[in-house]
Amino acid sequence: MKKETIAIDTPFERRDAFGALSMPVYNSVAYEFDNANDMADAFTGRVVAPDYSRTQNPTVTNLERRVMALTGAKAVTALNSGMAAISNTIIALTAAGKNIVTSRHMFGNTYDLLANTLKRFGVEARFCDLTDISDVERNVDANTCCIFFEIITNPQMEVADISKLAAVARKNNIPLVADTTTIPFTMFSVHDLGADIEIVSSTKYLSGGATSLGGLIIDYGTFPDFNKRIKGEMLFNFGAYMTPQVAYLQTLGLETLSARYHVQASNALTLAKRLHDTEGIKSVNYVGLDDNPFHELAQKQFGPTAGAMVCIDLESQEACFRMLNNLKLVHRATNLFDSRTLAIHPYSTIYGNFTTEQRAAMDVHDTTIRLSVGLEDAGDIYDDIVQALRKA
Ligand SMILES: *Cc1c(COP(=O)(O)O)cnc(C)c1O
């Protein structure tokens, strides 16, 4: 069956007592057992059954099972944000004295987690150029616990060759961890390209119009102890499991993901092409454009679509602010892949508290506006951006 069908018609683990068609929200913390033996089996993991909703909940399990069916993963764990998925994954893989090989090109909070938070616990982040495989090889050593990267980096839009990263990871027997938030996992298989663990901020495409925060750890089972640690240790001790209300919303989001994504990606391409030839815009950064340096590699890895994040560069920060201030339809807000189109100046916001040197090293420029293209009519979005540019 095709992904669109699987997203909607994956059967429940058990038939609902009332035959409910959409998975009910199991708003219960605890679950009763018929006898002490069953209870002991569930608590010790001999039998998989919910006992307490910090670690298992039928509504969350239903979302996880659908993502497993869509990706072919061995295990999926849903958490309460993309950052929870990233931090729980990294902490499960690392320890004091270990290092993580990654890039400076990534989402601001992930960078801060790796560069600063984990440093306090004796974990070193090694930032290198993931598009230069010899640089990656030079940085990996016996203490490297994983290679971590974003498939299309937010907001630099860099694309690394995943099979080359995977070859280094395999040679060193360490997992390759991919944050695939910028292209839905229904569009391509990062595992087929060689990744062992996939992380998604389900806040973005999946949630269904920015209804809720969520994160997914999608484990392809190449490092069997990883899932044991996530389900048997991290969920218990860090307590970041998704809540049933959120799982309900995100399951509905998953059912319409493909339909929404195709419109958003097509709007993004239309917009990127038109903005490319618009006066007042210095450059458009979108891997869907033929002249983008990562275009061919992105098409090879992710297929014909290139996501709904488009960056544009103007003359100066002042020009960016004036343009943002004159928008009427497009919303000044952070977040990605909402149903509505959003615009943000990453340099002064997401990276606003980074030093000038850090921002330069991360290639976050004061001339860049990041757009998340929504479901509105592409012409209406374009017209709003152009009128805002003219006034600016
Ligand atoms: C938004 C985002 C995150 C963090 O996700 P939250 O759900 O906001 O915690 C991580 N990685 C990427 C690439 C993102 O865009």
Side-chain angles (χ1 to χ4, degrees):
M1 280 195 294
K2 294 280 192 295
K3 304 267 170 80
E4 286 76 5
T5 314
I6 298 169
I8 292 172
D9 275 330
T10 301
F12 297 167
E13 199 177 3
R14 304 185 194 173
R15 191 173 192 279
D16 180 73
F18 296 96
L21 270 182
S22 62
M23 172 53 92
V25 180
Y26 279 88
N27 243 331
S28 180
V29 169
Y31 306 84
E32 188 172 25
F33 293 89
D34 288 341
N35 58 64
N37 272 335
D38 289 356
M39 200 170 181
D41 283 344
F43 272 74
T44 51
R46 283 190 293 269
V47 170
V48 178
D51 49 32
Y52 191 71
S53 284
R54 181 166 9 91
T55 55
Q56 245 192 88
N57 174 284
T59 316
V60 186
T61 302
N62 180 53
L63 172 64
E64 293 169 337
R65 291 179 74 256
R66 282 201 204 187
V67 176
M68 280 171 72
L70 285 165
T71 56
K74 291 280 187 300
V76 171
T77 304
L79 293 118
N80 57 27
S81 71
M83 283 316 301
I86 294 170
S87 56
N88 278 263
T89 295
I90 299 289
I91 293 168
L93 292 173
T94 202
K98 300 275 186 190
N99 67 72
I100 297 159
V101 170
T102 187
S103 159
R104 274 199 176 79
H105 294 160
M106 61 163 75
F107 178 62
N109 295 131
T110 311
Y111 175 85
D112 196 30
L113 168 75
L114 300 180
N116 301 315
T117 309
L118 289 174
K119 195 171 160 190
R120 291 207 305 274
F121 299 89
V123 178
E124 180 198 357
R126 295 189 174 171
F127 297 107
C128 60
D129 179 358
L130 296 180
T131 66
D132 172 3
I133 221 64
S134 59
D135 196 27
V136 179
E137 279 170 336
R138 258 195 310 279
N139 276 281
V140 173
D141 66 16
N143 286 321
T144 304
C145 67
C146 67
I147 301 174
F148 177 91
F149 74 107
E150 293 178 8
I151 54 162
I152 301 178
T153 71
N154 171 9
Q156 304 85 356
M157 309 271 214
E158 181 182 88
V159 179
D161 188 323
I162 300 174
S163 59
K164 286 187 182 160
L165 295 178
V168 179
R170 223 169 298 125
K171 203 168 105 196
N172 291 279
N173 197 29
I174 51 173
L176 178 63
V177 183
D179 178 337
T180 65
T181 301
T182 42
I183 301 272
F185 51 74
T186 48
M187 297 304 299
F188 76 108
S189 168
V190 82
H191 179 54
D192 286 352
L193 296 167
D196 302 292
I197 298 164
E198 178 173 10
I199 296 174
V200 179
S201 165
S202 54
T203 312
K204 312 289 169 58
Y205 288 121
L206 213 149
S207 75
T211 58
S212 47
L213 285 159
L216 300 170
I217 302 172
I218 302 173
D219 174 15
Y220 291 96
T222 23
F223 291 82
D225 286 346
F226 174 71
N227 186 51
K228 272 188 217 148
R229 198 165 263 180
I230 291 290
K231 301 263 191 211
E233 183 181 333
M234 306 305 292
L235 289 183
F236 285 89
N237 298 351
F238 283 92
Y241 200 44
M242 188 177 273
T243 58
Q245 294 88 348
V246 167
Y248 177 79
L249 291 170
Q250 301 212 342
T251 303
L252 294 184
L254 186 60
E255 292 181 355
T256 60
L257 172 66
S258 178
R260 285 182 290 110
Y261 174 71
H262 280 102
V263 175
Q264 286 180 268
S266 143
N267 275 355
L269 181 60
T270 304
L271 200 66
K273 282 183 180 159
R274 292 187 71 183
L275 292 174
H276 190 64
D277 303 321
T278 297
E279 220 189 294
I281 295 182
K282 266 192 354 200
S283 60
V284 177
N285 190 2
Y286 183 63
V287 299
L289 292 177
D290 295 341
D291 68 354
N292 185 285
F294 298 113
H295 179 70
E296 235 171 85
L297 180 60
Q299 300 261 304
K300 194 177 109 199
Q301 297 188 143
F302 316 129
T305 64
M309 173 170 72
V310 177
C311 288
I312 56 175
D313 275 85
L314 307 185
E315 281 306 321
S316 62
Q317 170 158 340
E318 293 67 38
C320 292
F321 273 39
R322 282 196 300 270
M323 184 272 205
L324 287 170
N325 290 341
N326 283 303
L327 290 168
K328 288 185 177 139
L329 173 73
V330 175
H331 300 269
R332 287 174 293 272
T334 191
N335 198 13
L336 286 172
F337 320 130
D338 194 320
S339 303
R340 34 193 88 60
T341 300
L342 312 177
I344 191 166
H345 182 250
Y347 186 89
S348 63
T349 54
I350 300 168
Y351 301 88
N353 289 325
F354 286 63
T355 65
T356 309
E357 293 72 31
Q358 278 174 328
R359 287 181 288 201
M362 296 177 83
D363 286 314
V364 172
H365 305 298
D366 63 353
T367 51
T368 306
I369 290 176
R370 188 187 79 187
L371 299 166
S372 169
V373 182
L375 289 163
E376 306 96 331
D377 175 74
D380 287 342
I381 304 167
Y382 178 75
D383 289 348
D384 189 45
I385 291 171
V386 168
Q387 70 76 26
L389 276 171
R390 293 232 169 92
K391 280 197 196 136

